[in-house]
PDB file of all heavy atoms in Angstrom:
ATOM      1  N   VAL H 478    -301.890 -39.211  50.617  1.00 88.00           N
ATOM      2  CA  VAL H 478    -301.746 -37.777  50.366  1.00 88.00           C
ATOM      3  C   VAL H 478    -301.960 -37.460  48.891  1.00 88.00           C
ATOM      4  O   VAL H 478    -302.219 -36.321  48.537  1.00 88.00           O
ATOM      5  CB  VAL H 478    -300.378 -37.239  50.838  1.00 88.00           C
ATOM      6  CG1 VAL H 478    -300.267 -37.341  52.345  1.00 88.00           C
ATOM      7  CG2 VAL H 478    -299.236 -37.928  50.139  1.00 88.00           C
ATOM      8  N   ALA H 479    -301.859 -38.450  48.033  1.00 91.00           N
ATOM      9  CA  ALA H 479    -302.088 -38.275  46.607  1.00 91.00           C
ATOM     10  C   ALA H 479    -303.043 -39.366  46.136  1.00 91.00           C
ATOM     11  O   ALA H 479    -302.801 -40.552  46.367  1.00 91.00           O
ATOM     12  CB  ALA H 479    -300.775 -38.348  45.835  1.00 91.00           C
ATOM     13  N   LEU H 480    -304.124 -38.943  45.504  1.00 93.00           N
ATOM     14  CA  LEU H 480    -305.176 -39.865  45.096  1.00 93.00           C
ATOM     15  C   LEU H 480    -305.158 -40.060  43.587  1.00 93.00           C
ATOM     16  O   LEU H 480    -304.786 -39.149  42.842  1.00 93.00           O
ATOM     17  CB  LEU H 480    -306.541 -39.299  45.487  1.00 93.00           C
ATOM     18  CG  LEU H 480    -306.722 -38.875  46.933  1.00 93.00           C
ATOM     19  CD1 LEU H 480    -308.021 -38.096  47.089  1.00 93.00           C
ATOM     20  CD2 LEU H 480    -306.698 -40.081  47.842  1.00 93.00           C
ATOM     21  N   THR H 481    -305.591 -41.234  43.148  1.00 94.00           N
ATOM     22  CA  THR H 481    -305.819 -41.416  41.725  1.00 94.00           C
ATOM     23  C   THR H 481    -307.041 -40.593  41.345  1.00 94.00           C
ATOM     24  O   THR H 481    -307.811 -40.157  42.207  1.00 94.00           O
ATOM     25  CB  THR H 481    -306.076 -42.892  41.375  1.00 94.00           C
ATOM     26  OG1 THR H 481    -307.300 -43.306  41.989  1.00 94.00           O
ATOM     27  CG2 THR H 481    -304.929 -43.792  41.814  1.00 94.00           C
ATOM     28  N   VAL H 482    -307.238 -40.391  40.075  1.00 95.00           N
ATOM     29  CA  VAL H 482    -308.411 -39.651  39.618  1.00 95.00           C
ATOM     30  C   VAL H 482    -309.679 -40.377  40.064  1.00 95.00           C
ATOM     31  O   VAL H 482    -310.641 -39.744  40.517  1.00 95.00           O
ATOM     32  CB  VAL H 482    -308.368 -39.464  38.087  1.00 95.00           C
ATOM     33  CG1 VAL H 482    -309.679 -38.924  37.551  1.00 95.00           C
ATOM     34  CG2 VAL H 482    -307.211 -38.548  37.713  1.00 95.00           C
ATOM     35  N   GLU H 483    -309.683 -41.698  39.981  1.00 94.00           N
ATOM     36  CA  GLU H 483    -310.845 -42.476  40.391  1.00 94.00           C
ATOM     37  C   GLU H 483    -311.133 -42.304  41.879  1.00 94.00           C
ATOM     38  O   GLU H 483    -312.285 -42.148  42.285  1.00 94.00           O
ATOM     39  CB  GLU H 483    -310.650 -43.957  40.054  1.00 94.00           C
ATOM     40  CG  GLU H 483    -310.693 -44.268  38.571  1.00 94.00           C
ATOM     41  CD  GLU H 483    -309.391 -43.945  37.826  1.00 94.00           C
ATOM     42  OE1 GLU H 483    -308.363 -43.643  38.481  1.00 94.00           O
ATOM     43  OE2 GLU H 483    -309.426 -43.951  36.589  1.00 94.00           O
ATOM     44  N   GLU H 484    -310.079 -42.338  42.705  1.00 93.00           N
ATOM     45  CA  GLU H 484    -310.260 -42.167  44.151  1.00 93.00           C
ATOM     46  C   GLU H 484    -310.794 -40.774  44.483  1.00 93.00           C
ATOM     47  O   GLU H 484    -311.699 -40.624  45.305  1.00 93.00           O
ATOM     48  CB  GLU H 484    -308.934 -42.409  44.889  1.00 93.00           C
ATOM     49  CG  GLU H 484    -308.497 -43.854  44.878  1.00 93.00           C
ATOM     50  CD  GLU H 484    -307.051 -44.031  45.327  1.00 93.00           C
ATOM     51  OE1 GLU H 484    -306.247 -43.085  45.228  1.00 93.00           O
ATOM     52  OE2 GLU H 484    -306.732 -45.140  45.783  1.00 93.00           O
ATOM     53  N   ALA H 485    -310.233 -39.754  43.836  1.00 94.00           N
ATOM     54  CA  ALA H 485    -310.686 -38.380  44.093  1.00 94.00           C
ATOM     55  C   ALA H 485    -312.130 -38.205  43.625  1.00 94.00           C
ATOM     56  O   ALA H 485    -312.934 -37.574  44.318  1.00 94.00           O
ATOM     57  CB  ALA H 485    -309.759 -37.388  43.389  1.00 94.00           C
ATOM     58  N   ALA H 486    -312.468 -38.758  42.482  1.00 94.00           N
ATOM     59  CA  ALA H 486    -313.838 -38.656  41.970  1.00 94.00           C
ATOM     60  C   ALA H 486    -314.813 -39.347  42.918  1.00 94.00           C
ATOM     61  O   ALA H 486    -315.897 -38.835  43.203  1.00 94.00           O
ATOM     62  CB  ALA H 486    -313.924 -39.272  40.575  1.00 94.00           C
ATOM     63  N   ARG H 487    -314.425 -40.498  43.440  1.00 92.00           N
ATOM     64  CA  ARG H 487    -315.290 -41.220  44.379  1.00 92.00           C
ATOM     65  C   ARG H 487    -315.484 -40.410  45.657  1.00 92.00           C
ATOM     66  O   ARG H 487    -316.584 -40.332  46.183  1.00 92.00           O
ATOM     67  CB  ARG H 487    -314.689 -42.596  44.699  1.00 92.00           C
ATOM     68  CG  ARG H 487    -315.618 -43.471  45.511  1.00 92.00           C
ATOM     69  CD  ARG H 487    -315.145 -44.898  45.669  1.00 92.00           C
ATOM     70  NE  ARG H 487    -313.757 -45.028  46.064  1.00 92.00           N
ATOM     71  CZ  ARG H 487    -312.812 -45.571  45.300  1.00 92.00           C
ATOM     72  NH1 ARG H 487    -313.088 -46.040  44.105  1.00 92.00           N
ATOM     73  NH2 ARG H 487    -311.566 -45.663  45.733  1.00 92.00           N
ATOM     74  N   ARG H 488    -314.440 -39.766  46.140  1.00 90.00           N
ATOM     75  CA  ARG H 488    -314.574 -38.939  47.347  1.00 90.00           C
ATOM     76  C   ARG H 488    -315.516 -37.762  47.121  1.00 90.00           C
ATOM     77  O   ARG H 488    -316.231 -37.356  48.024  1.00 90.00           O
ATOM     78  CB  ARG H 488    -313.206 -38.405  47.797  1.00 90.00           C
ATOM     79  CG  ARG H 488    -312.368 -39.453  48.467  1.00 90.00           C
ATOM     80  CD  ARG H 488    -311.153 -38.842  49.102  1.00 90.00           C
ATOM     81  NE  ARG H 488    -310.347 -39.873  49.733  1.00 90.00           N
ATOM     82  CZ  ARG H 488    -309.303 -39.617  50.483  1.00 90.00           C
ATOM     83  NH1 ARG H 488    -308.929 -38.381  50.699  1.00 90.00           N
ATOM     84  NH2 ARG H 488    -308.628 -40.596  51.020  1.00 90.00           N
ATOM     85  N   LEU H 489    -315.498 -37.224  45.903  1.00 91.00           N
ATOM     86  CA  LEU H 489    -316.369 -36.099  45.589  1.00 91.00           C
ATOM     87  C   LEU H 489    -317.769 -36.539  45.181  1.00 91.00           C
ATOM     88  O   LEU H 489    -318.690 -35.731  45.150  1.00 91.00           O
ATOM     89  CB  LEU H 489    -315.758 -35.263  44.455  1.00 91.00           C
ATOM     90  CG  LEU H 489    -314.543 -34.433  44.829  1.00 91.00           C
ATOM     91  CD1 LEU H 489    -313.861 -33.892  43.578  1.00 91.00           C
ATOM     92  CD2 LEU H 489    -314.957 -33.302  45.748  1.00 91.00           C
ATOM     93  N   GLY H 490    -317.900 -37.808  44.831  1.00 91.00           N
ATOM     94  CA  GLY H 490    -319.192 -38.309  44.385  1.00 91.00           C
ATOM     95  C   GLY H 490    -319.523 -37.881  42.969  1.00 91.00           C
ATOM     96  O   GLY H 490    -320.684 -37.667  42.629  1.00 91.00           O
ATOM     97  N   ILE H 491    -318.479 -37.716  42.154  1.00 94.00           N
ATOM     98  CA  ILE H 491    -318.669 -37.337  40.755  1.00 94.00           C
ATOM     99  C   ILE H 491    -318.000 -38.376  39.872  1.00 94.00           C
ATOM    100  O   ILE H 491    -317.275 -39.241  40.347  1.00 94.00           O
ATOM    101  CB  ILE H 491    -318.101 -35.927  40.458  1.00 94.00           C
ATOM    102  CG1 ILE H 491    -316.591 -35.888  40.680  1.00 94.00           C
ATOM    103  CG2 ILE H 491    -318.812 -34.874  41.291  1.00 94.00           C
ATOM    104  CD1 ILE H 491    -315.936 -34.583  40.274  1.00 94.00           C
ATOM    105  N   GLY H 492    -318.236 -38.262  38.583  1.00 95.00           N
ATOM    106  CA  GLY H 492    -317.631 -39.183  37.638  1.00 95.00           C
ATOM    107  C   GLY H 492    -316.193 -38.825  37.323  1.00 95.00           C
ATOM    108  O   GLY H 492    -315.750 -37.688  37.507  1.00 95.00           O
ATOM    109  N   ARG H 493    -315.495 -39.812  36.820  1.00 95.00           N
ATOM    110  CA  ARG H 493    -314.091 -39.656  36.456  1.00 95.00           C
ATOM    111  C   ARG H 493    -313.920 -38.598  35.356  1.00 95.00           C
ATOM    112  O   ARG H 493    -313.017 -37.766  35.410  1.00 95.00           O
ATOM    113  CB  ARG H 493    -313.580 -41.016  35.983  1.00 95.00           C
ATOM    114  CG  ARG H 493    -312.123 -41.158  35.829  1.00 95.00           C
ATOM    115  CD  ARG H 493    -311.786 -42.602  35.512  1.00 95.00           C
ATOM    116  NE  ARG H 493    -312.446 -43.045  34.300  1.00 95.00           N
ATOM    117  CZ  ARG H 493    -311.852 -43.126  33.113  1.00 95.00           C
ATOM    118  NH1 ARG H 493    -310.585 -42.823  32.994  1.00 95.00           N
ATOM    119  NH2 ARG H 493    -312.516 -43.524  32.056  1.00 95.00           N
ATOM    120  N   THR H 494    -314.817 -38.601  34.374  1.00 96.00           N
ATOM    121  CA  THR H 494    -314.728 -37.651  33.277  1.00 96.00           C
ATOM    122  C   THR H 494    -314.884 -36.223  33.771  1.00 96.00           C
ATOM    123  O   THR H 494    -314.149 -35.316  33.344  1.00 96.00           O
ATOM    124  CB  THR H 494    -315.805 -37.966  32.214  1.00 96.00           C
ATOM    125  OG1 THR H 494    -315.616 -39.316  31.780  1.00 96.00           O
ATOM    126  CG2 THR H 494    -315.708 -37.024  31.034  1.00 96.00           C
ATOM    127  N   LYS H 495    -315.825 -36.003  34.683  1.00 96.00           N
ATOM    128  CA  LYS H 495    -316.037 -34.658  35.236  1.00 96.00           C
ATOM    129  C   LYS H 495    -314.802 -34.218  36.019  1.00 96.00           C
ATOM    130  O   LYS H 495    -314.389 -33.050  35.942  1.00 96.00           O
ATOM    131  CB  LYS H 495    -317.277 -34.644  36.129  1.00 96.00           C
ATOM    132  CG  LYS H 495    -317.685 -33.263  36.568  1.00 96.00           C
ATOM    133  CD  LYS H 495    -318.109 -32.426  35.375  1.00 96.00           C
ATOM    134  CE  LYS H 495    -318.632 -31.077  35.795  1.00 96.00           C
ATOM    135  NZ  LYS H 495    -318.970 -30.252  34.629  1.00 96.00           N
ATOM    136  N   LEU H 496    -314.187 -35.129  36.758  1.00 96.00           N
ATOM    137  CA  LEU H 496    -312.987 -34.764  37.504  1.00 96.00           C
ATOM    138  C   LEU H 496    -311.856 -34.398  36.551  1.00 96.00           C
ATOM    139  O   LEU H 496    -311.134 -33.420  36.787  1.00 96.00           O
ATOM    140  CB  LEU H 496    -312.552 -35.879  38.451  1.00 96.00           C
ATOM    141  CG  LEU H 496    -311.407 -35.452  39.355  1.00 96.00           C
ATOM    142  CD1 LEU H 496    -311.865 -34.417  40.367  1.00 96.00           C
ATOM    143  CD2 LEU H 496    -310.810 -36.628  40.073  1.00 96.00           C
ATOM    144  N   TYR H 497    -311.698 -35.150  35.454  1.00 95.00           N
ATOM    145  CA  TYR H 497    -310.676 -34.800  34.464  1.00 95.00           C
ATOM    146  C   TYR H 497    -310.947 -33.407  33.887  1.00 95.00           C
ATOM    147  O   TYR H 497    -310.026 -32.651  33.614  1.00 95.00           O
ATOM    148  CB  TYR H 497    -310.624 -35.829  33.329  1.00 95.00           C
ATOM    149  CG  TYR H 497    -309.712 -36.992  33.612  1.00 95.00           C
ATOM    150  CD1 TYR H 497    -310.212 -38.273  33.745  1.00 95.00           C
ATOM    151  CD2 TYR H 497    -308.335 -36.807  33.749  1.00 95.00           C
ATOM    152  CE1 TYR H 497    -309.381 -39.350  33.997  1.00 95.00           C
ATOM    153  CE2 TYR H 497    -307.488 -37.867  34.004  1.00 95.00           C
ATOM    154  CZ  TYR H 497    -308.009 -39.137  34.122  1.00 95.00           C
ATOM    155  OH  TYR H 497    -307.179 -40.196  34.378  1.00 95.00           O
ATOM    156  N   GLU H 498    -312.222 -33.059  33.728  1.00 96.00           N
ATOM    157  CA  GLU H 498    -312.578 -31.721  33.258  1.00 96.00           C
ATOM    158  C   GLU H 498    -312.097 -30.665  34.248  1.00 96.00           C
ATOM    159  O   GLU H 498    -311.507 -29.653  33.862  1.00 96.00           O
ATOM    160  CB  GLU H 498    -314.094 -31.628  33.078  1.00 96.00           C
ATOM    161  CG  GLU H 498    -314.591 -30.297  32.575  1.00 96.00           C
ATOM    162  CD  GLU H 498    -316.101 -30.275  32.485  1.00 96.00           C
ATOM    163  OE1 GLU H 498    -316.689 -31.252  31.975  1.00 96.00           O
ATOM    164  OE2 GLU H 498    -316.695 -29.271  32.947  1.00 96.00           O
ATOM    165  N   TYR H 499    -312.339 -30.897  35.543  1.00 96.00           N
ATOM    166  CA  TYR H 499    -311.893 -29.957  36.569  1.00 96.00           C
ATOM    167  C   TYR H 499    -310.367 -29.868  36.606  1.00 96.00           C
ATOM    168  O   TYR H 499    -309.808 -28.798  36.826  1.00 96.00           O
ATOM    169  CB  TYR H 499    -312.422 -30.355  37.946  1.00 96.00           C
ATOM    170  CG  TYR H 499    -313.902 -30.138  38.128  1.00 96.00           C
ATOM    171  CD1 TYR H 499    -314.668 -31.074  38.812  1.00 96.00           C
ATOM    172  CD2 TYR H 499    -314.550 -29.013  37.640  1.00 96.00           C
ATOM    173  CE1 TYR H 499    -316.038 -30.884  38.998  1.00 96.00           C
ATOM    174  CE2 TYR H 499    -315.907 -28.816  37.817  1.00 96.00           C
ATOM    175  CZ  TYR H 499    -316.647 -29.755  38.499  1.00 96.00           C
ATOM    176  OH  TYR H 499    -317.986 -29.561  38.671  1.00 96.00           O
ATOM    177  N   VAL H 500    -309.686 -30.981  36.398  1.00 96.00           N
ATOM    178  CA  VAL H 500    -308.222 -30.985  36.382  1.00 96.00           C
ATOM    179  C   VAL H 500    -307.716 -30.187  35.183  1.00 96.00           C
ATOM    180  O   VAL H 500    -306.814 -29.356  35.317  1.00 96.00           O
ATOM    181  CB  VAL H 500    -307.674 -32.433  36.362  1.00 96.00           C
ATOM    182  CG1 VAL H 500    -306.202 -32.460  36.007  1.00 96.00           C
ATOM    183  CG2 VAL H 500    -307.914 -33.107  37.708  1.00 96.00           C
ATOM    184  N   SER H 501    -308.317 -30.407  34.012  1.00 96.00           N
ATOM    185  CA  SER H 501    -307.833 -29.725  32.805  1.00 96.00           C
ATOM    186  C   SER H 501    -308.064 -28.221  32.857  1.00 96.00           C
ATOM    187  O   SER H 501    -307.297 -27.451  32.272  1.00 96.00           O
ATOM    188  CB  SER H 501    -308.475 -30.318  31.553  1.00 96.00           C
ATOM    189  OG  SER H 501    -309.848 -30.022  31.509  1.00 96.00           O
ATOM    190  N   THR H 502    -309.111 -27.771  33.564  1.00 96.00           N
ATOM    191  CA  THR H 502    -309.365 -26.332  33.690  1.00 96.00           C
ATOM    192  C   THR H 502    -308.623 -25.722  34.876  1.00 96.00           C
ATOM    193  O   THR H 502    -308.686 -24.513  35.072  1.00 96.00           O
ATOM    194  CB  THR H 502    -310.877 -26.054  33.844  1.00 96.00           C
ATOM    195  OG1 THR H 502    -311.350 -26.683  35.027  1.00 96.00           O
ATOM    196  CG2 THR H 502    -311.653 -26.516  32.631  1.00 96.00           C
ATOM    197  N   GLY H 503    -307.971 -26.548  35.682  1.00 95.00           N
ATOM    198  CA  GLY H 503    -307.229 -26.043  36.826  1.00 95.00           C
ATOM    199  C   GLY H 503    -308.075 -25.842  38.073  1.00 95.00           C
ATOM    200  O   GLY H 503    -307.591 -25.304  39.066  1.00 95.00           O
ATOM    201  N   GLU H 504    -309.336 -26.246  38.035  1.00 95.00           N
ATOM    202  CA  GLU H 504    -310.196 -26.079  39.213  1.00 95.00           C
ATOM    203  C   GLU H 504    -309.786 -27.015  40.348  1.00 95.00           C
ATOM    204  O   GLU H 504    -310.025 -26.708  41.520  1.00 95.00           O
ATOM    205  CB  GLU H 504    -311.661 -26.318  38.840  1.00 95.00           C
ATOM    206  CG  GLU H 504    -312.216 -25.240  37.933  1.00 95.00           C
ATOM    207  CD  GLU H 504    -313.679 -25.440  37.645  1.00 95.00           C
ATOM    208  OE1 GLU H 504    -314.476 -25.344  38.597  1.00 95.00           O
ATOM    209  OE2 GLU H 504    -314.010 -25.692  36.478  1.00 95.00           O
ATOM    210  N   ILE H 505    -309.200 -28.142  39.985  1.00 95.00           N
ATOM    211  CA  ILE H 505    -308.649 -29.062  40.980  1.00 95.00           C
ATOM    212  C   ILE H 505    -307.183 -29.267  40.626  1.00 95.00           C
ATOM    213  O   ILE H 505    -306.852 -29.608  39.487  1.00 95.00           O
ATOM    214  CB  ILE H 505    -309.380 -30.419  41.002  1.00 95.00           C
ATOM    215  CG1 ILE H 505    -310.815 -30.238  41.494  1.00 95.00           C
ATOM    216  CG2 ILE H 505    -308.640 -31.430  41.880  1.00 95.00           C
ATOM    217  CD1 ILE H 505    -311.609 -31.512  41.583  1.00 95.00           C
ATOM    218  N   ALA H 506    -306.315 -29.051  41.595  1.00 95.00           N
ATOM    219  CA  ALA H 506    -304.874 -29.206  41.377  1.00 95.00           C
ATOM    220  C   ALA H 506    -304.529 -30.679  41.183  1.00 95.00           C
ATOM    221  O   ALA H 506    -305.155 -31.560  41.777  1.00 95.00           O
ATOM    222  CB  ALA H 506    -304.112 -28.654  42.572  1.00 95.00           C
ATOM    223  N   SER H 507    -303.538 -30.918  40.344  1.00 95.00           N
ATOM    224  CA  SER H 507    -303.049 -32.278  40.146  1.00 95.00           C
ATOM    225  C   SER H 507    -301.565 -32.217  39.819  1.00 95.00           C
ATOM    226  O   SER H 507    -301.040 -31.162  39.477  1.00 95.00           O
ATOM    227  CB  SER H 507    -303.813 -32.978  39.017  1.00 95.00           C
ATOM    228  OG  SER H 507    -303.472 -32.426  37.767  1.00 95.00           O
ATOM    229  N   VAL H 508    -300.922 -33.354  39.956  1.00 94.00           N
ATOM    230  CA  VAL H 508    -299.500 -33.453  39.637  1.00 94.00           C
ATOM    231  C   VAL H 508    -299.269 -34.704  38.806  1.00 94.00           C
ATOM    232  O   VAL H 508    -300.032 -35.661  38.890  1.00 94.00           O
ATOM    233  CB  VAL H 508    -298.621 -33.515  40.908  1.00 94.00           C
ATOM    234  CG1 VAL H 508    -298.712 -32.231  41.696  1.00 94.00           C
ATOM    235  CG2 VAL H 508    -298.979 -34.698  41.771  1.00 94.00           C
ATOM    236  N   LYS H 509    -298.223 -34.651  37.997  1.00 94.00           N
ATOM    237  CA  LYS H 509    -297.798 -35.842  37.260  1.00 94.00           C
ATOM    238  C   LYS H 509    -296.625 -36.432  38.020  1.00 94.00           C
ATOM    239  O   LYS H 509    -295.691 -35.733  38.380  1.00 94.00           O
ATOM    240  CB  LYS H 509    -297.352 -35.471  35.848  1.00 94.00           C
ATOM    241  CG  LYS H 509    -298.456 -35.100  34.914  1.00 94.00           C
ATOM    242  CD  LYS H 509    -299.147 -36.276  34.295  1.00 94.00           C
ATOM    243  CE  LYS H 509    -298.323 -36.859  33.180  1.00 94.00           C
ATOM    244  NZ  LYS H 509    -299.016 -37.858  32.403  1.00 94.00           N
ATOM    245  N   ILE H 510    -296.714 -37.710  38.288  1.00 93.00           N
ATOM    246  CA  ILE H 510    -295.609 -38.445  38.902  1.00 93.00           C
ATOM    247  C   ILE H 510    -295.256 -39.530  37.899  1.00 93.00           C
ATOM    248  O   ILE H 510    -295.973 -40.521  37.774  1.00 93.00           O
ATOM    249  CB  ILE H 510    -296.005 -39.038  40.266  1.00 93.00           C
ATOM    250  CG1 ILE H 510    -296.457 -37.934  41.212  1.00 93.00           C
ATOM    251  CG2 ILE H 510    -294.845 -39.844  40.846  1.00 93.00           C
ATOM    252  CD1 ILE H 510    -297.016 -38.421  42.531  1.00 93.00           C
ATOM    253  N   GLY H 511    -294.187 -39.285  37.150  1.00 94.00           N
ATOM    254  CA  GLY H 511    -293.888 -40.166  36.028  1.00 94.00           C
ATOM    255  C   GLY H 511    -295.004 -40.031  35.005  1.00 94.00           C
ATOM    256  O   GLY H 511    -295.333 -38.940  34.566  1.00 94.00           O
ATOM    257  N   SER H 512    -295.635 -41.148  34.670  1.00 95.00           N
ATOM    258  CA  SER H 512    -296.759 -41.106  33.723  1.00 95.00           C
ATOM    259  C   SER H 512    -298.104 -41.093  34.435  1.00 95.00           C
ATOM    260  O   SER H 512    -299.144 -41.147  33.795  1.00 95.00           O
ATOM    261  CB  SER H 512    -296.683 -42.317  32.794  1.00 95.00           C
ATOM    262  OG  SER H 512    -296.819 -43.508  33.554  1.00 95.00           O
ATOM    263  N   LEU H 513    -298.084 -41.008  35.764  1.00 94.00           N
ATOM    264  CA  LEU H 513    -299.312 -41.085  36.557  1.00 94.00           C
ATOM    265  C   LEU H 513    -299.827 -39.700  36.934  1.00 94.00           C
ATOM    266  O   LEU H 513    -299.051 -38.812  37.281  1.00 94.00           O
ATOM    267  CB  LEU H 513    -299.054 -41.890  37.834  1.00 94.00           C
ATOM    268  CG  LEU H 513    -298.470 -43.288  37.643  1.00 94.00           C
ATOM    269  CD1 LEU H 513    -298.113 -43.886  38.986  1.00 94.00           C
ATOM    270  CD2 LEU H 513    -299.448 -44.165  36.893  1.00 94.00           C
TER     271      LEU H 513
END
Side-chain angles (χ1 to χ4, degrees):
V478 294
L480 308 169
T481 65
V482 170
E483 290 79 10
E484 290 167 336
R487 188 171 48 245
R488 284 190 181 187
L489 288 168
I491 63 174
R493 192 174 59 100
T494 303
K495 189 65 175 177
L496 187 69
Y497 272 115
E498 181 183 315
Y499 289 140
V500 166
S501 68
T502 61
E504 292 184 65
I505 293 181
S507 71
V508 295
K509 287 278 282 189
I510 302 173
S512 63
L513 305 173

